[in-house]
Amino acid sequence: MVRKQLRIKNISGLHLRPTGMLCNEAIKYQSSIQIVTGSTTANAKSVLSILGACVKCGDEIELICEGNDEEEALAAVAGLIESGLGE
């Protein structure tokens, strides 16, 4: 299992468009990918799960990957989040 702390840069937080981009990247990997914010855990491969977490701009999240390709998954998904998810 690998983890990384990240801060959400998107002005509007994780709304539908950036969440869709994040999910499209996450589903490329076999590993389980979770987003933890406060007491909420969201499946990074589910748009509804992420939207339900109500992640806002400036929120601190923890990205947790577990599986065969966990290192690659963490690097790719964290890189996408750090880049601002296209915004």
Side-chain angles (χ1 to χ4, degrees), residues 3-21:
R3 301 168 178 253
K4 184 168 186 172
Q5 296 285 334
L6 300 162
R7 184 170 303 277
I8 299 300
K9 298 177 184 179
N10 301 61
I11 299 297
S12 301
L14 293 183
H15 60 88
L16 190 56
R17 188 172 3 98
T19 296
M21 290 179 65

Side-chain angles (χ1 to χ4, degrees), residues 8-54:
I8 299 300
K9 298 177 184 179
N10 301 61
I11 299 297
S12 301
L14 293 183
H15 60 88
L16 190 56
R17 188 172 3 98
T19 296
M21 290 179 65
L22 194 151
C23 288
N24 284 337
E25 186 63 31
I27 61 175
K28 295 177 183 176
Y29 300 93
Q30 293 178 357
S31 294
S32 154
I33 305 172
Q34 302 294 317
I35 296 172
V36 179
T37 178
S39 61
T40 305
T41 301
N43 177 356
K45 296 181 182 183
S46 166
V47 170
L48 290 177
S49 183
I50 297 171
L51 290 175
C54 299

